Amino acid sequence: MSTATSIEDTVAALRDGERAWARTDLAGRRALLEQLHANVGAHATEWVEIAARIKGLPADSPLLGEEWSSGPYPLLTTLAALAETARALEAGRSPVDGYPIRTAPGGRIAVEVFPHGAYEWLLLNGFRAEVWLRPGIGVDTARQRAGLGLRTPERTNGIGVVLGAGNIFSIAPLDVIYQLIAENRVVALKLNPVTDPLLPVLEQIFAPAIERGFVRILTGGAEVGAALVRHPDVATVHMTGSAATHDAIVWGTDAAALARKAAGIPLLDKPITSELGGVSPTIVLPGRWSAADLRYQAEHLATQRLHNNGYNCVAAQVAVISADWPQKERFLRELRAAIARSPERADYYPGSADRVRSARSTYTQAQPIGARTLVEGLVPTRGEPALHTEYFSPVLGVLELPGATSEFLTEAVAVCNDEFEGTLGVNIIAHPRTLRELDAEFDSAVERLRYGTVAVNAWTGVGYLTARATWGAFPGHTLDDIQSGIGVVHNALLLGDTERSVVRGPFRPAPRSVLHGEFTFSPKPPWFVTNRTQATTLRRLTDFMATPRLRALPGIFVSALRG
């Protein structure tokens, strides 16, 4: 079958499917979500086995935990959370009923979306997440608008195309679900060629939606994506990838592309939303840390960069630290050691080796640590390549700014806002004592950071894994200055008028946390690249999310403690 015939058949099936989707009420949509949830559970092992082959991970590698936690796990939790949202609307309630809502800085309200329920409180104790709405949105408005496309299921919005990502294998199916449920569209998913081997698993998972014409999944090269995007019957496009790919779709690649962009006349004649990554910073606030704190947080920072070998849109690329921190040199020694301890892996993502070579040739001070690269001595200027080039590989930079805690924080926020490319996520690492001393000043700093996810003593990747949190760039980007994209996904409470998500975690793991007055019993997180039992822990956690039951909890806790 030719590409053109395949696309025409796809679009024709989706046109029919849209009519069936408009007739599918809340109960029917909830039932579909529950069917998909069951299918993910049934095919999770096969999914991870294929993912391991794509990424060159041995069957006994602890790093298989990354494929459980970034593959079937977030799809399971999102499907369950969306089904609960549909159930609330069926009962005539707002999806946010029962969720704590507080006042946030700057005339905002914040909805506490994690933990929700006893299981989440137990399994990720000490972690919290809030969704901040835009200034001026009140509680009543938030309650009335929550639900998005589920509030009017009969009013469908045409055919949407999703151009899938090739790095994290839950991104594409999660984007399909968001288009289907939140945006009320039927969906054609074009897989990234890296993920083509997952086609049989995804077709089995989405079988109930495929059979009814709600979803179609296609493979192929750029010509297939281009034909789908330009098809006259396609209403909208959502993509995950690079800003360069986005601009090629919107403005074209011919000689007139730059002129179109300058004139604001896009080649694409339909709306496009996007999640495009960027250069994510981690701000390390100075404080008085113990030796154990220095080692643990160095592993935390190494994880933020080296999870999935750096092929994450929100992988931390630059650590921002105080030049005047008395413990700076000790922390950097621990960071180098943590990178060296982290297991190496195949550079499966296209172009990775070239990007590493580019970083090493750009910076004469680059320090190779095995296949990874650490670049110290960055400066906060617009001409600094590491602040504007998303290396998407195991390259981590270090930027030093002057000042003690308060002055450093003020300068770090300004530099992250004004000098870094992208607004997807920013991390902050700070001792609890430092947070207490800063108090309202720290809350003000969080408010000023223009990022879609702000993580405090946690990695922004936790925000990606939190179904009811939002995921996407800070609002306000335009087609001609796209940065990290336009729009959000995930957002399983289907909140309107969202601005950002704020994630918080414990500074220390248990049992040290309890000994120092942090009342959390979470051990070293299983997503740490240095966690020895992450594959077992995250496999068990995913299995639990497929079929929650009390008797499975001890096995998860024992494995987590051994990590």
Side-chain angles (χ1 to χ4, degrees):
M1 183 182 293
S2 71
T3 296
T5 303
S6 174
I7 288 173
E8 287 304 324
D9 288 348
T10 292
V11 172
L14 290 171
R15 280 197 301 261
D16 290 340
E18 185 184 4
R19 290 189 284 273
W21 189 231
R23 295 192 298 270
T24 305
D25 61 11
L26 283 172
R29 295 179 183 219
R30 175 176 52 79
L32 176 65
L33 291 165
E34 291 167 349
Q35 287 176 302
L36 298 179
H37 184 275
N39 288 354
V40 176
H43 296 286
T45 298
E46 183 184 0
W47 178 335
V48 171
E49 289 172 349
I50 295 171
R53 290 197 291 273
I54 293 172
K55 297 187 178 183
L57 294 174
D60 60 351
S61 172
L63 295 174
L64 281 179
E66 295 182 356
E67 301 313 309
W68 286 103
S69 64
S70 64
Y73 171 86
L75 188 53
L76 284 166
T77 57
T78 295
L79 290 166
L82 284 169
E84 184 177 304
T85 291
R87 193 175 297 111
L89 291 167
E90 281 182 79
R93 296 183 284 106
S94 170
V96 298
D97 287 350
Y99 286 80
I101 300 177
R102 72 173 183 90
T103 300
R108 297 169 174 86
I109 61 170
V111 182
E112 186 178 299
V113 298
F114 189 94
H116 177 64
Y119 286 149
E120 289 185 349
W121 186 87
L122 285 168
L123 290 167
L124 284 170
N125 185 265
F127 287 86
R128 295 182 289 131
E130 298 177 325
V131 175
W132 289 20
L133 303 190
R134 301 190 193 203
I137 302 298
V139 174
D140 289 343
T141 301
R143 292 185 188 282
Q144 291 163 9
R145 294 184 184 175
L148 300 181
L150 281 183
R151 285 199 168 272
T152 54
E154 70 285 355
R155 280 191 236 155
T156 53
N157 293 304
I159 298 171
V161 165
V162 168
L163 301 177
N167 58 328
I168 293 294
F169 296 162
S170 59
I171 291 177
L174 284 169
D175 290 348
V176 168
I177 293 298
Y178 198 76
Q179 289 291 311
L180 192 66
I181 300 298
E183 305 293 352
N184 207 8
R185 297 187 182 104
V186 292
V187 187
L189 166 62
K190 159 63 174 66
L191 292 177
N192 183 295
V194 171
T195 65
D196 282 355
L198 282 167
L199 176 64
V201 168
L202 294 177
E203 287 183 327
Q204 292 175 87
I205 288 171
F206 280 99
I210 293 171
E211 291 163 3
R212 299 168 68 183
F214 304 155
V215 173
R216 284 291 185 273
I217 307 176
L218 296 90
T219 59
E223 74 285 353
V224 176
L228 272 173
V229 165
R230 308 290 176 199
H231 196 286
D233 287 349
V234 166
T236 64
V237 178
H238 178 80
M239 65 158 293
T240 301
S242 69
T245 301
H246 171 274
D247 283 359
I249 292 170
V250 172
W251 309 108
T253 57
D254 59 5
L258 289 177
R260 285 191 208 99
K261 187 173 183 179
I265 305 173
L267 190 63
L268 187 70
D269 61 351
K270 58 199 69 175
I272 180 170
T273 55
S274 52
E275 191 263 84
L276 306 176
V279 177
S280 291
T282 294
I283 300 170
V284 182
L285 291 183
R288 296 187 302 278
W289 296 9
S290 69
D293 294 337
L294 290 163
R295 180 184 174 97
Y296 175 78
Q297 292 299 345
E299 290 187 3
H300 192 184
L301 179 54
T303 292
Q304 293 173 7
R305 181 67 229 178
L306 298 178
H307 182 280
N308 198 34
N309 209 34
Y311 311 138
N312 288 335
C313 49
V314 78
Q317 183 163 302
V318 177
V320 182
I321 68 174
S322 169
D324 301 318
W325 183 22
Q327 294 181 301
K328 177 191 71 176
E329 291 302 332
R330 289 184 62 191
F331 179 73
L332 290 175
R333 283 198 301 273
E334 289 289 359
L335 179 60
R336 297 181 200 110
I339 293 171
R341 286 196 303 274
S342 303
E344 295 197 17
R345 63 187 90 190
D347 55 351
Y348 74 90
Y349 201 83
S352 174
D354 290 339
R355 291 188 294 275
V356 171
R357 279 193 292 271
S358 173
R360 290 182 178 181
S361 64
T362 299
Y363 292 103
T364 57
Q365 75 271 34
Q367 304 171 50
I369 304 177
R372 287 71 62 93
T373 302
L374 183 67
V375 182
E376 299 179 40
L378 302 181
V379 295
T381 67
R382 291 198 179 275
E384 186 66 87
L387 307 191
H388 298 276
T389 303
E390 185 182 10
Y391 286 119
F392 215 67
S393 61
V395 176
L396 176 63
V398 178
L399 170 66
E400 296 185 23
L401 299 175
T405 306
S406 181
E407 298 81 3
F408 167 77
L409 177 59
T410 298
E411 180 67 10
V413 169
V415 168
C416 290
N417 280 341
D418 299 337
E419 303 297 342
F420 279 67
E421 191 77 18
T423 65
L424 186 61
V426 59
N427 313 284
I428 306 173
I429 297 174
H431 194 287
R433 184 189 307 111
T434 302
L435 294 176
R436 288 193 300 270
E437 291 169 352
L438 289 169
D439 195 20
E441 185 179 351
F442 183 79
D443 294 337
S444 175
V446 171
E447 179 201 0
R448 294 196 309 277
L449 283 164
R450 297 191 296 270
Y451 285 83
T453 299
V454 180
V456 181
N457 289 334
W459 176 35
T460 45
V462 179
Y464 175 89
L465 297 177
T466 302
R468 296 176 179 88
T470 55
W471 186 252
F474 194 79
H477 300 316
T478 57
L479 290 180
D480 61 347
D481 183 20
I482 195 61
Q483 296 284 321
S484 291
I486 296 171
V488 300
V489 291
H490 304 191
N491 184 28
L493 286 180
L494 302 181
L495 293 162
D497 306 298
T498 61
E499 183 184 65
R500 76 184 87 188
S501 289
V502 178
V503 178
R504 297 176 188 267
F507 180 73
R508 305 177 181 91
R512 282 200 305 117
S513 55
V514 178
L515 296 175
H516 289 85
E518 280 188 284
F519 297 105
T520 170
F521 51 82
S522 283
K524 177 192 289 187
W527 54 84
F528 268 40
V529 291
T530 51
N531 190 302
R532 296 167 299 176
T533 63
Q534 64 163 294
T536 301
T537 303
L538 292 167
R539 174 179 56 79
R540 291 176 179 176
L541 183 60
T542 302
D543 178 65
F544 178 86
M545 292 303 173
T547 312
R549 63 250 185 239
L550 280 171
R551 67 178 183 277
L553 294 176
I556 297 172
F557 293 145
V558 168
S559 181
L561 288 168
R562 289 177 52 237

